[in-house]
Amino acid sequence: RALLVVVVVATALRPGVRPGTQRARRATTVGSDATEAEDRLLSILGATGRIALSPSEEDDVDDCLRLLASPTTPGAAEIQGSWRLLYTSKSAFDPKNPLGRRVDGTAPGVEAVFDKLFASDAAASSSPIQRALTSMPDIVVEQRVDLDGDDPRVDQLVRVADDVSLRLSAAATFDDVTARISFTFDTAYFTLFGLRVPYPVPFRLLGDEAKGWLDTSYCSDRLRISRGNKGTTFILGRSDQ
């Protein structure tokens, strides 16, 4: 069962970053309103995150996200580091787009089959796999963003149990203007009871289906808010303090 969950996770997560960002994380000055919004988010989500929120808590989270919206995009030095997923937004399931719909309307690979069959103009939505994944309270998702050096990367570590995990690694580029991390998955493997098992997904054959992006609208020493290519909002807590 744990292995099945890990396989499901692999399809749901999509990582991206440009070399030459070799600078130390710059200090972030957070205003009082932003500090209060961060405090409120952390009081709702806790240090390890929460899956199920009440309607009033969802409204509070939305209010905090609006308060933390900033016209100033964070730099690579602020974004890189280790993070833990605390919260993901939810989207309605669209039966005409069972694999989810991308924000920019593109539909690579198998996604194109449904797009051509139904020609849906629905809003962006996450895949049913991602919805299933983010409803599992025991799964821990950690992300490592390394933008320095000749091989910038985004790594995802999905912990299903103490002895069962999946690591997904993606080559990345970073746009300083938009704070967009674009990525392409190229490596993945399971760790099962101490044994490393290759993940049987031919990333090279997936083409654009193995690609994605994350736009970061807010980043501080405690929290990061990013939006993915299928419209999902992610709230992550910094874990490398």
Side-chain angles (χ1 to χ4, degrees):
R1 180 177 177 274
L3 178 59
L4 177 60
V5 171
V6 172
V7 173
V8 168
V9 170
T11 349
L13 297 178
R14 299 277 169 106
V17 202
R18 187 183 69 198
T21 54
Q22 297 178 353
R23 61 178 187 258
R25 185 195 310 160
R26 67 174 181 263
T28 304
T29 302
V30 180
S32 59
D33 288 345
T35 300
E36 291 176 5
E38 285 191 12
D39 289 342
R40 180 58 181 151
L41 282 175
L42 289 171
S43 71
I44 296 170
L45 303 176
T48 57
R50 285 179 60 195
I51 299 300
L53 301 181
S54 69
S56 62
E57 288 174 327
E58 290 281 5
D59 289 341
D60 283 349
V61 168
D62 289 342
D63 288 342
C64 291
L65 292 176
R66 282 190 288 270
L67 284 171
L68 293 174
S70 171
T72 304
T73 56
E78 295 168 274
I79 294 172
Q80 66 182 3
S82 297
W83 302 88
R84 175 169 176 153
L85 182 65
L86 303 180
Y87 170 86
T88 62
S89 63
K90 310 299 186 293
S91 60
F93 174 68
D94 179 6
K96 294 182 178 181
N97 290 284
L99 300 181
R101 187 169 180 83
R102 298 179 181 232
V103 172
D104 59 8
T106 59
V110 178
E111 295 174 29
V113 175
F114 294 97
D115 189 64
K116 290 179 180 178
L117 283 175
F118 299 107
S120 173
D121 58 354
S125 61
S126 60
S127 69
I129 295 174
Q130 179 174 305
R131 279 190 289 274
L133 165 67
T134 54
S135 68
M136 299 176 183
D138 296 329
I139 286 181
V140 175
V141 180
E142 297 171 330
Q143 185 182 80
R144 176 72 189 177
V145 181
D146 288 313
L147 308 181
D148 290 340
D150 297 329
D151 185 28
R153 293 205 153 260
V154 172
D155 285 314
Q156 305 268 17
L157 179 64
V158 182
R159 300 183 188 275
V160 179
D162 289 342
D163 297 316
V164 180
S165 65
L166 168 67
R167 183 175 294 278
L168 292 147
S169 184
T173 60
F174 183 76
D175 188 313
D176 287 305
V177 177
T178 62
R180 171 169 291 185
I181 297 176
S182 300
F183 56 84
T184 302
F185 281 108
D186 57 12
T187 303
Y189 59 86
F190 302 103
T191 300
L192 304 174
F193 306 101
L195 299 177
R196 178 167 166 167
V197 180
Y199 182 67
V201 169
F203 289 118
R204 295 177 183 175
L205 300 181
L206 292 179
D208 288 345
E209 282 190 273
K211 297 180 180 180
W213 49 257
L214 285 171
D215 286 343
T216 296
S217 59
Y218 181 83
C219 189
S220 74
D221 287 338
R222 295 194 292 174
L223 292 177
R224 187 179 112 222
I225 299 170
S226 297
R227 183 172 182 249
N229 54 286
K230 290 193 174 180
T232 303
T233 297
F234 302 93
I235 301 177
L236 303 100
R238 193 179 290 279
S239 58
D240 59 357
Q241 294 290 351

